[in-house]
Amino acid sequence: AALRDGNDTVRVEVARALGRLGGSAVAALPALAQALRDGDFNVAAEAAAALGAIGPAAGGAVASLLKASRHPSPLVRTRVTE
């Protein structure tokens, strides 16, 4: 729910916190995959980084990550490939 907050900063910080949790954040996979399409590129970038931090358990988000690899923001594209 917090990844859909009306405040961009809140969404960025939530995605960042989930990334710090790494594999323990696997339950947030669907919300992070959806956040890759956020209108704020910083949110999308942090969601991509969080999915990367989750590691192989984030395999269910591969299709969303592939779409995000064509994001207009270079930051998002970079985070998808890290």
Side-chain angles (χ1 to χ4, degrees):
L3 281 171
R4 292 183 303 223
D5 192 275
N7 185 313
D8 297 346
T9 303
V10 169
R11 295 193 312 276
V12 167
E13 292 303 321
V14 168
R16 191 171 288 149
L18 289 167
R20 284 193 297 270
L21 291 173
S24 298
V26 72
L29 222 74
L32 286 167
Q34 184 176 356
L36 291 170
R37 298 187 307 270
D38 194 282
D40 183 301
F41 73 90
N42 290 304
V43 176
E46 289 301 328
L51 288 166
I54 291 172
V62 169
S64 296
L65 286 163
L66 285 173
K67 281 185 181 181
S69 71
R70 296 184 299 276
H71 195 281
S73 166
L75 178 61
V76 175
R77 294 192 306 268
T78 298
R79 292 285 172 83
V80 165
T81 61
E82 291 179 335

